[in-house]
Amino acid sequence: MPGLDHYTASTSTTPAAPSTNSGVYYNARLDPKNYLEGPLSPVASTRLRQMLARPGIVTAPGICDGISARCALEAGFECLYQSGAATTASRLGQPDLAIATMNDFVGAAQMVCSINPSVPVIADADTGFGGPINVARTVKQYIAAGVAGLHIEDQVQTKRCGHLMGKQVVSREEFLTRIRAAVIARDSVPNSDFVIIGRTDSAQVLGMEEAITRLKLARDAGADVCFIEGVKTEELLKSTVAALAPTPVLVNVISGGLTPSFTYQDAERMGAKIIIFSLVSCVAMVHAVREAMRSLKKTGTDFASAKGMDPKSFFEVMGLNEVVELDAKAGGSAFQVV
């Protein structure tokens, strides 16, 4: 695995080898111009880089389990976001307070990425789950799971949802060790196009100027995308995009959170390249399941909440027809009648 010389002057003559210019990370192989032409790749990480390099905003709804992932794909979304808060809620029934482990996140990612391996999944990696060695392990585990990209933040290890109060952040240097470790780990995987997103939660703690400074440093350390959490106004988002150009900027929208309820059209107009709606699925799920449970308790039946969806219709949303077709193509006969 490359060491600290990854971030010092390089004498390599290999065009794709990471190099630096005045301490700034650069990898010619991952230059956005290399992803401008040609059909979209079936490899999710490569496809995500193509989407970032080409016109149009990348809209990624937050998913929390297999059902929400299936529904997002059915709706036509071409990128998914595995929210840390949603993953913690769906897998553990717990709040987003650094309770979930790397194994929880990786397990969820393996399942989601297997549904349609060509659709990019951007996954939350919280603080990287430890020091540089842990961050590197996290990146490699996410790559192996089929994730297209992840974001790592600068909160302390006992982190919390970015839209809760009382956040604390680590020093600039500790944040940068996380980014460097992620970049080194990515570059140690041959030909990996994995996307690394640097996230700062410092705007609410130390102010916007510090947040922009941290993201610039993260970019120089090799982050492919910059993510500023809790942008409170349209003007602040525009100024963030301008300050970090041409690096792509990600904006996170949570209804009722710190960031206004921008539409993806709004975010694109303001210059953002990725917009995620972290809790869209799990909040909707809470409302729907609450209503279904109340109805069952009151009426003694689930007839009303089913809305006419029988078991076969439900399984069709979960990919029943694809499974039956595969079995038939292979010469099987187990599902001739379902």
Side-chain angles (χ1 to χ4, degrees), residues 159-241:
K159 62 144 288 174
R160 63 194 63 196
C161 170
H163 291 254
L164 294 177
M165 298 298 102
K167 291 187 293 184
Q168 300 178 59
V169 294
V170 298
S171 67
R172 290 181 186 177
E173 186 52 41
E174 186 170 348
F175 176 42
L176 293 179
T177 63
R178 295 174 183 176
I179 300 299
R180 293 189 198 106
V183 172
I184 292 168
R186 189 269 314 283
D187 289 348
S188 73
V189 178
N191 300 314
S192 176
D193 285 333
F194 192 74
V195 175
I196 294 168
I197 302 168
R199 164 178 157 172
T200 184
D201 285 73
S202 60
Q204 290 76 52
V205 182
L206 303 174
M208 283 295 296
E209 184 176 349
E210 174 65 16
I212 296 297
T213 297
R214 288 183 176 224
L215 289 179
K216 287 180 177 179
L217 291 170
R219 173 194 62 193
D220 291 348
D224 302 293
V225 177
C226 291
F227 174 180
I228 186 165
E229 182 64 291
V231 178
K232 294 184 177 180
T233 68
E234 177 175 333
E235 290 70 25
L236 287 176
L237 179 55
K238 285 181 177 178
S239 63
T240 298
V241 169

Coordinates of all heavy atoms in Angstrom, one line a residue, residues 159-241:
K159 N -20.2 10.4 16.9 CA -20.9 11.3 16.0 C -22.4 11.2 16.2 O -22.9 10.4 16.9 CB -20.5 11.0 14.5 CG -20.9 9.6 14.1 CD -21.3 9.6 12.6 CE -22.7 10.3 12.4 NZ -23.1 10.5 11.0
R160 N -23.1 12.1 15.4 CA -24.6 12.1 15.4 C -25.0 12.6 14.1 O -24.2 13.1 13.2 CB -25.1 13.0 16.5 CG -24.7 14.5 16.3 CD -25.0 15.3 17.6 NE -24.2 14.8 18.7 CZ -24.4 15.1 20.0 NH1 -25.4 15.9 20.3 NH2 -23.6 14.7 20.9
C161 N -26.3 12.4 13.8 CA -26.9 12.9 12.5 C -26.5 14.3 12.3 O -26.5 15.1 13.3 CB -28.4 12.7 12.6 SG -29.2 13.6 11.2
G162 N -26.1 14.7 11.1 CA -25.7 16.0 10.8 C -26.7 17.1 11.0 O -26.4 18.3 10.9
H163 N -28.0 16.7 11.2 CA -29.0 17.7 11.3 C -29.5 17.7 12.8 O -30.6 18.3 13.1 CB -30.2 17.4 10.4 CG -29.8 17.6 8.9 ND1 -30.2 18.7 8.2 CD2 -29.0 17.0 8.1 CE1 -29.7 18.7 7.0 NE2 -28.9 17.6 6.9
L164 N -28.7 17.1 13.7 CA -29.0 17.3 15.1 C -28.0 18.4 15.7 O -27.0 18.7 15.1 CB -28.8 16.0 15.9 CG -29.7 14.8 15.6 CD1 -29.3 13.6 16.3 CD2 -31.2 15.2 15.9
M165 N -28.4 18.9 16.8 CA -27.5 19.9 17.5 C -26.4 19.2 18.3 O -26.5 18.0 18.6 CB -28.4 20.8 18.3 CG -29.4 21.6 17.6 SD -28.8 22.7 16.3 CE -29.1 21.8 14.8
G166 N -25.4 20.0 18.7 CA -24.4 19.5 19.6 C -23.3 18.8 19.0 O -22.5 18.1 19.7
K167 N -23.1 19.0 17.7 CA -22.0 18.3 17.0 C -20.6 18.8 17.4 O -20.5 19.9 17.8 CB -22.2 18.4 15.5 CG -23.3 17.7 14.9 CD -23.4 17.8 13.4 CE -23.6 19.2 12.8 NZ -23.7 19.2 11.4
Q168 N -19.7 17.9 17.4 CA -18.3 18.2 17.6 C -17.5 17.7 16.4 O -17.8 16.6 15.9 CB -17.8 17.6 18.9 CG -18.5 18.1 20.1 CD -18.0 17.4 21.4 OE1 -16.8 17.5 21.7 NE2 -18.8 16.6 22.0
V169 N -16.4 18.4 16.1 CA -15.6 18.0 14.9 C -14.1 17.9 15.4 O -13.7 18.5 16.4 CB -15.7 19.0 13.7 CG1 -17.1 19.0 13.1 CG2 -15.3 20.4 14.2
V170 N -13.4 17.0 14.7 CA -12.0 16.8 15.0 C -11.2 18.0 14.3 O -11.7 18.8 13.6 CB -11.5 15.5 14.4 CG1 -12.2 14.3 15.1 CG2 -11.7 15.4 12.9
S171 N -9.9 18.0 14.5 CA -9.0 19.0 13.9 C -8.9 18.8 12.4 O -9.3 17.7 11.9 CB -7.6 18.8 14.5 OG -7.0 17.6 14.1
R172 N -8.5 19.8 11.8 CA -8.3 19.7 10.3 C -7.4 18.5 10.0 O -7.7 17.8 9.1 CB -7.7 21.0 9.8 CG -8.5 22.2 9.7 CD -7.7 23.4 9.1 NE -8.4 24.7 9.2 CZ -7.9 25.8 8.8 NH1 -6.7 25.8 8.3 NH2 -8.6 26.9 8.9
E173 N -6.3 18.4 10.7 CA -5.3 17.4 10.3 C -5.9 16.0 10.5 O -5.6 15.1 9.7 CB -4.0 17.6 11.2 CG -2.9 16.6 10.8 CD -2.6 16.6 9.3 OE1 -2.6 17.7 8.7 OE2 -2.4 15.5 8.7
E174 N -6.7 15.8 11.6 CA -7.2 14.5 11.8 C -8.2 14.2 10.7 O -8.3 13.0 10.2 CB -7.9 14.4 13.1 CG -8.4 12.9 13.4 CD -8.9 12.8 14.9 OE1 -8.6 13.6 15.7 OE2 -9.5 11.7 15.1
F175 N -9.0 15.1 10.3 CA -9.9 15.0 9.1 C -9.1 14.6 7.9 O -9.5 13.7 7.1 CB -10.7 16.3 8.9 CG -11.6 16.3 7.7 CD1 -12.4 15.2 7.4 CD2 -11.7 17.4 6.9 CE1 -13.2 15.2 6.3 CE2 -12.5 17.4 5.8 CZ -13.3 16.3 5.5
L176 N -8.0 15.3 7.6 CA -7.3 15.0 6.4 C -6.6 13.6 6.5 O -6.4 13.0 5.4 CB -6.2 16.1 6.2 CG -6.8 17.4 5.9 CD1 -5.6 18.5 5.7 CD2 -7.6 17.4 4.6
T177 N -6.3 13.1 7.7 CA -5.7 11.7 7.7 C -6.8 10.7 7.3 O -6.4 9.7 6.7 CB -5.2 11.4 9.2 OG1 -6.3 11.4 10.1 CG2 -4.1 12.3 9.6
R178 N -8.0 11.0 7.6 CA -9.1 10.1 7.1 C -9.2 10.2 5.6 O -9.3 9.1 5.0 CB -10.4 10.6 7.8 CG -10.5 10.4 9.3 CD -11.8 11.0 9.8 NE -11.8 10.9 11.3 CZ -12.7 11.4 12.1 NH1 -13.8 12.1 11.6 NH2 -12.6 11.3 13.4
I179 N -9.2 11.3 5.0 CA -9.3 11.4 3.6 C -8.0 10.8 2.9 O -8.2 10.0 1.9 CB -9.4 12.9 3.1 CG1 -10.6 13.6 3.7 CG2 -9.4 13.0 1.6 CD1 -11.9 13.0 3.3
R180 N -6.9 11.1 3.4 CA -5.7 10.5 2.8 C -5.7 8.9 2.9 O -5.4 8.2 2.0 CB -4.4 11.0 3.5 CG -4.1 12.4 3.3 CD -2.7 12.8 3.9 NE -2.6 14.2 4.1 CZ -2.6 14.8 5.3 NH1 -2.7 14.1 6.4 NH2 -2.4 16.1 5.4
A181 N -6.1 8.4 4.1 CA -6.2 7.0 4.2 C -7.2 6.4 3.2 O -6.9 5.3 2.7 CB -6.6 6.6 5.7
A182 N -8.3 7.1 3.0 CA -9.3 6.6 2.0 C -8.7 6.6 0.6 O -8.9 5.6 -0.1 CB -10.5 7.4 2.1
V183 N -8.0 7.6 0.3 CA -7.4 7.7 -1.1 C -6.3 6.6 -1.3 O -6.3 6.0 -2.3 CB -6.8 9.1 -1.3 CG1 -6.0 9.2 -2.6 CG2 -8.0 10.1 -1.3
I184 N -5.5 6.5 -0.3 CA -4.4 5.5 -0.3 C -5.0 4.1 -0.5 O -4.6 3.3 -1.3 CB -3.5 5.5 0.9 CG1 -2.7 6.8 0.9 CG2 -2.6 4.3 1.0 CD1 -2.0 7.1 2.2
A185 N -6.1 3.8 0.3 CA -6.7 2.5 0.2 C -7.4 2.3 -1.2 O -7.2 1.2 -1.8 CB -7.8 2.3 1.3
R186 N -8.1 3.3 -1.7 CA -8.7 3.2 -3.0 C -7.6 2.9 -4.1 O -7.8 2.1 -5.0 CB -9.4 4.5 -3.3 CG -10.3 4.4 -4.6 CD -9.6 4.9 -5.8 NE -8.9 6.1 -5.7 CZ -9.4 7.4 -5.6 NH1 -10.7 7.6 -5.7 NH2 -8.6 8.4 -5.5
D187 N -6.5 3.7 -4.0 CA -5.5 3.5 -5.0 C -4.7 2.2 -4.9 O -4.0 1.9 -5.9 CB -4.5 4.7 -5.0 CG -5.2 6.0 -5.5 OD1 -6.3 5.9 -6.0 OD2 -4.6 7.1 -5.2
S188 N -4.8 1.5 -3.8 CA -4.2 0.2 -3.7 C -5.0 -0.9 -4.3 O -4.4 -2.0 -4.5 CB -3.9 -0.1 -2.2 OG -5.2 -0.5 -1.6
V189 N -6.2 -0.6 -4.7 CA -7.0 -1.6 -5.4 C -6.8 -1.3 -6.9 O -7.2 -0.3 -7.4 CB -8.5 -1.4 -5.0 CG1 -9.4 -2.4 -5.8 CG2 -8.7 -1.6 -3.5
P190 N -6.3 -2.3 -7.7 CA -6.0 -2.1 -9.1 C -7.2 -1.5 -9.9 O -8.3 -2.1 -9.8 CB -5.6 -3.5 -9.5 CG -5.1 -4.2 -8.3 CD -5.9 -3.7 -7.2
N191 N -6.9 -0.4 -10.6 CA -7.9 0.1 -11.5 C -9.2 0.6 -10.9 O -10.2 0.7 -11.6 CB -8.1 -0.8 -12.7 CG -6.9 -1.1 -13.5 OD1 -6.1 -0.2 -13.8 ND2 -6.6 -2.4 -13.7
S192 N -9.2 0.8 -9.6 CA -10.5 1.2 -8.9 C -10.9 2.6 -9.3 O -10.1 3.5 -9.3 CB -10.4 1.0 -7.4 OG -11.5 1.5 -6.8
D193 N -12.2 2.7 -9.6 CA -12.8 4.0 -9.9 C -13.5 4.6 -8.7 O -14.3 5.5 -8.9 CB -13.7 4.0 -11.1 CG -12.9 3.9 -12.4 OD1 -11.8 4.3 -12.5 OD2 -13.5 3.3 -13.4
F194 N -13.4 3.9 -7.6 CA -14.2 4.3 -6.4 C -14.1 5.8 -6.1 O -13.0 6.4 -6.1 CB -13.7 3.4 -5.2 CG -14.5 3.5 -4.0 CD1 -15.7 2.7 -4.0 CD2 -14.1 4.2 -2.9 CE1 -16.5 2.7 -2.8 CE2 -14.9 4.2 -1.7 CZ -16.1 3.5 -1.7
V195 N -15.3 6.3 -5.8 CA -15.4 7.8 -5.6 C -15.3 8.1 -4.1 O -16.1 7.5 -3.3 CB -16.7 8.3 -6.2 CG1 -16.8 9.8 -5.8 CG2 -16.7 8.1 -7.7
I196 N -14.4 9.0 -3.7 CA -14.3 9.4 -2.3 C -14.8 10.8 -2.1 O -14.4 11.8 -2.8 CB -12.8 9.3 -1.9 CG1 -12.3 7.9 -1.9 CG2 -12.6 9.9 -0.5 CD1 -10.8 7.7 -1.8
I197 N -15.8 10.9 -1.2 CA -16.4 12.2 -0.9 C -16.0 12.7 0.5 O -16.2 12.0 1.5 CB -18.0 12.0 -1.0 CG1 -18.4 11.5 -2.4 CG2 -18.7 13.3 -0.7 CD1 -19.8 11.0 -2.4
G198 N -15.5 13.9 0.5 CA -15.1 14.5 1.8 C -16.3 15.3 2.3 O -16.8 16.2 1.6
R199 N -16.7 15.0 3.6 CA -17.8 15.7 4.2 C -17.3 16.5 5.4 O -16.6 15.9 6.2 CB -18.9 14.7 4.6 CG -19.9 15.3 5.5 CD -21.0 14.3 5.9 NE -21.7 14.6 7.1 CZ -22.8 13.9 7.6 NH1 -23.3 13.0 6.9 NH2 -23.3 14.3 8.8
T200 N -17.8 17.7 5.5 CA -17.5 18.4 6.8 C -18.8 18.8 7.4 O -19.8 19.2 6.8 CB -16.7 19.7 6.5 OG1 -16.4 20.3 7.8 CG2 -17.4 20.7 5.6
D201 N -18.9 18.7 8.8 CA -20.0 19.1 9.6 C -19.6 20.3 10.4 O -20.3 20.7 11.4 CB -20.4 18.0 10.6 CG -21.1 16.8 9.9 OD1 -20.5 16.1 9.1 OD2 -22.3 16.7 10.1
S202 N -18.5 21.0 10.0 CA -18.0 22.1 10.8 C -18.8 23.4 10.6 O -18.5 24.3 11.4 CB -16.5 22.3 10.4 OG -16.4 22.6 9.0
A203 N -19.6 23.5 9.6 CA -20.3 24.8 9.4 C -21.1 25.3 10.6 O -21.1 26.5 10.9 CB -21.2 24.7 8.1
Q204 N -21.8 24.3 11.2 CA -22.6 24.7 12.4 C -21.8 24.9 13.7 O -22.3 25.4 14.6 CB -23.7 23.7 12.6 CG -24.8 23.6 11.6 CD -24.3 22.9 10.3 OE1 -23.8 21.8 10.3 NE2 -24.5 23.6 9.2
V205 N -20.5 24.4 13.6 CA -19.7 24.4 14.8 C -18.7 25.6 14.7 O -18.5 26.3 15.7 CB -19.0 23.1 15.0 CG1 -18.1 23.1 16.2 CG2 -20.0 21.9 15.0
L206 N -18.0 25.7 13.6 CA -16.9 26.6 13.4 C -17.2 27.7 12.4 O -16.3 28.6 12.2 CB -15.6 25.9 13.1 CG -15.2 24.8 14.1 CD1 -14.0 24.0 13.6 CD2 -14.9 25.4 15.5
G207 N -18.3 27.6 11.7 CA -18.6 28.6 10.7 C -18.3 28.2 9.2 O -17.6 27.2 9.0
M208 N -18.9 28.9 8.3 CA -18.8 28.5 6.9 C -17.4 28.7 6.4 O -17.0 27.9 5.5 CB -19.8 29.4 6.1 CG -21.3 29.0 6.2 SD -21.6 27.3 5.5 CE -21.2 27.6 3.7
E209 N -16.7 29.7 6.8 CA -15.4 29.9 6.3 C -14.5 28.7 6.6 O -13.7 28.2 5.8 CB -14.8 31.2 6.9 CG -13.4 31.5 6.4 CD -12.8 32.8 6.9 OE1 -13.6 33.6 7.5 OE2 -11.6 33.1 6.7
E210 N -14.6 28.2 7.8 CA -13.8 27.0 8.2 C -14.3 25.8 7.4 O -13.4 25.0 7.0 CB -13.9 26.7 9.7 CG -13.3 25.5 10.2 CD -11.7 25.5 10.0 OE1 -11.1 26.6 9.8 OE2 -11.1 24.4 10.1
A211 N -15.6 25.7 7.2 CA -16.1 24.5 6.4 C -15.5 24.5 5.0 O -15.1 23.5 4.5 CB -17.6 24.6 6.4
I212 N -15.5 25.7 4.4 CA -14.9 25.8 3.0 C -13.5 25.4 3.0 O -13.0 24.7 2.1 CB -15.2 27.2 2.4 CG1 -16.7 27.5 2.3 CG2 -14.5 27.3 1.1 CD1 -17.4 26.6 1.3
T213 N -12.7 26.0 4.0 CA -11.3 25.7 4.1 C -11.1 24.2 4.2 O -10.2 23.6 3.6 CB -10.7 26.4 5.3 OG1 -10.8 27.8 5.1 CG2 -9.2 26.0 5.5
R214 N -11.8 23.5 5.1 CA -11.7 22.1 5.3 C -12.0 21.3 4.0 O -11.2 20.3 3.7 CB -12.6 21.6 6.4 CG -12.1 22.0 7.8 CD -13.0 21.5 8.9 NE -12.4 21.8 10.2 CZ -12.3 21.0 11.2 NH1 -12.7 19.8 11.1 NH2 -11.7 21.4 12.3
L215 N -13.0 21.7 3.2 CA -13.3 21.0 2.0 C -12.2 21.2 0.9 O -11.9 20.3 0.2 CB -14.7 21.4 1.5 CG -15.8 20.9 2.3 CD1 -17.2 21.4 1.8 CD2 -15.9 19.4 2.4
K216 N -11.6 22.4 0.9 CA -10.6 22.7 0.0 C -9.4 21.8 0.3 O -8.7 21.2 -0.6 CB -10.1 24.1 0.0 CG -11.1 25.1 -0.7 CD -10.6 26.5 -0.6 CE -11.6 27.5 -1.3 NZ -11.1 28.9 -1.2
L217 N -9.1 21.6 1.6 CA -8.0 20.8 2.0 C -8.3 19.3 1.7 O -7.4 18.6 1.2 CB -7.7 20.9 3.5 CG -7.1 22.3 3.9 CD1 -7.1 22.4 5.4 CD2 -5.7 22.5 3.4
A218 N -9.5 18.9 1.9 CA -9.9 17.5 1.5 C -9.8 17.3 0.1 O -9.3 16.2 -0.4 CB -11.3 17.3 2.0
R219 N -10.2 18.3 -0.7 CA -10.0 18.1 -2.2 C -8.6 18.0 -2.6 O -8.2 17.1 -3.4 CB -10.6 19.4 -2.9 CG -10.4 19.5 -4.3 CD -10.7 20.9 -4.8 NE -9.8 21.9 -4.2 CZ -10.0 23.2 -4.3 NH1 -11.1 23.7 -4.9 NH2 -9.2 24.0 -3.7
D220 N -7.7 18.8 -2.0 CA -6.3 18.7 -2.3 C -5.7 17.4 -1.9 O -4.7 16.9 -2.4 CB -5.6 19.9 -1.6 CG -5.9 21.2 -2.2 OD1 -6.6 21.3 -3.3 OD2 -5.6 22.3 -1.6
A221 N -6.3 16.8 -0.8 CA -5.8 15.5 -0.3 C -6.3 14.3 -1.2 O -5.9 13.2 -1.0 CB -6.2 15.3 1.1
G222 N -7.2 14.6 -2.1 CA -7.7 13.6 -3.0 C -9.2 13.3 -3.0 O -9.6 12.4 -3.8
A223 N -10.0 14.0 -2.3 CA -11.4 13.8 -2.3 C -11.9 14.2 -3.7 O -11.6 15.3 -4.2 CB -12.1 14.6 -1.2
D224 N -12.8 13.4 -4.3 CA -13.3 13.6 -5.6 C -14.5 14.5 -5.6 O -14.8 15.2 -6.6 CB -13.8 12.3 -6.2 CG -12.6 11.3 -6.3 OD1 -11.7 11.5 -7.1 OD2 -12.7 10.2 -5.6
V225 N -15.2 14.5 -4.5 CA -16.5 15.3 -4.3 C -16.4 16.0 -2.9 O -15.9 15.4 -2.0 CB -17.7 14.5 -4.4 CG1 -19.0 15.3 -4.2 CG2 -17.8 13.8 -5.8
C226 N -17.0 17.2 -2.8 CA -17.1 17.8 -1.5 C -18.5 17.9 -1.0 O -19.4 18.2 -1.8 CB -16.5 19.3 -1.6 SG -14.7 19.3 -1.9
F227 N -18.7 17.6 0.3 CA -20.0 17.5 0.9 C -20.0 18.4 2.1 O -19.4 18.1 3.1 CB -20.3 16.0 1.2 CG -21.6 15.7 2.0 CD1 -21.8 14.4 2.3 CD2 -22.5 16.7 2.4 CE1 -23.0 14.0 3.0 CE2 -23.6 16.4 3.1 CZ -23.9 15.0 3.4
I228 N -20.8 19.5 2.0 CA -20.9 20.4 3.2 C -22.3 20.1 3.8 O -23.3 20.3 3.1 CB -20.7 21.9 2.8 CG1 -20.7 22.7 4.1 CG2 -21.7 22.3 1.8 CD1 -20.1 24.1 3.8
E229 N -22.3 19.7 5.0 CA -23.6 19.4 5.7 C -24.2 20.6 6.3 O -23.5 21.4 6.9 CB -23.3 18.3 6.8 CG -24.6 17.8 7.5 CD -25.6 17.1 6.6 OE1 -26.2 17.8 5.8 OE2 -25.7 15.9 6.8
G230 N -25.5 20.7 6.2 CA -26.3 21.7 6.9 C -26.2 23.1 6.2 O -26.1 24.1 6.9
V231 N -26.2 23.2 4.9 CA -26.2 24.5 4.2 C -27.5 25.1 4.4 O -28.5 24.6 3.9 CB -25.8 24.3 2.7 CG1 -25.9 25.7 2.0 CG2 -24.5 23.7 2.5
K232 N -27.6 26.3 5.0 CA -28.9 26.8 5.5 C -29.6 27.7 4.5 O -30.8 28.0 4.6 CB -28.7 27.6 6.8 CG -28.3 26.7 7.9 CD -28.2 27.5 9.2 CE -27.9 26.5 10.4 NZ -27.8 27.3 11.7
T233 N -28.9 28.2 3.4 CA -29.6 29.1 2.5 C -29.1 28.8 1.1 O -28.0 28.2 0.9 CB -29.3 30.6 2.8 OG1 -27.9 30.8 2.6 CG2 -29.6 30.9 4.2
E234 N -29.9 29.3 0.1 CA -29.5 29.2 -1.3 C -28.2 29.9 -1.5 O -27.3 29.4 -2.3 CB -30.6 29.7 -2.1 CG -30.3 29.7 -3.6 CD -31.5 30.2 -4.5 OE1 -32.7 30.0 -4.0 OE2 -31.3 30.7 -5.6
E235 N -28.0 31.1 -0.9 CA -26.8 31.9 -1.2 C -25.6 31.1 -0.7 O -24.5 31.2 -1.3 CB -27.0 33.2 -0.4 CG -28.0 34.2 -1.0 CD -29.4 33.7 -0.8 OE1 -29.7 33.0 0.1 OE2 -30.3 34.1 -1.6
L236 N -25.7 30.5 0.5 CA -24.6 29.7 1.0 C -24.2 28.5 0.1 O -23.0 28.2 -0.1 CB -24.8 29.3 2.4 CG -24.8 30.3 3.5 CD1 -25.2 29.8 4.8 CD2 -23.5 31.0 3.6
L237 N -25.2 27.9 -0.5 CA -24.9 26.8 -1.4 C -24.2 27.3 -2.6 O -23.2 26.7 -3.1 CB -26.2 26.0 -1.7 CG -26.0 24.8 -2.7 CD1 -25.0 23.8 -2.2 CD2 -27.3 24.1 -2.9
K238 N -24.7 28.4 -3.2 CA -24.1 29.0 -4.4 C -22.7 29.4 -4.1 O -21.8 29.1 -4.9 CB -24.9 30.2 -4.8 CG -26.2 29.9 -5.5 CD -26.9 31.2 -6.0 CE -28.2 30.9 -6.7 NZ -28.9 32.2 -7.1
S239 N -22.4 30.0 -3.0 CA -21.1 30.4 -2.7 C -20.1 29.3 -2.4 O -18.9 29.3 -2.7 CB -21.1 31.4 -1.5 OG -21.5 30.7 -0.3
T240 N -20.7 28.2 -1.8 CA -19.9 27.0 -1.6 C -19.5 26.4 -2.9 O -18.3 26.0 -3.1 CB -20.7 26.0 -0.8 OG1 -21.0 26.5 0.5 CG2 -19.9 24.7 -0.6
V241 N -20.4 26.3 -3.8 CA -20.1 25.7 -5.2 C -19.1 26.6 -5.9 O -18.1 26.0 -6.5 CB -21.4 25.6 -6.0 CG1 -21.1 25.3 -7.5 CG2 -22.4 24.6 -5.4

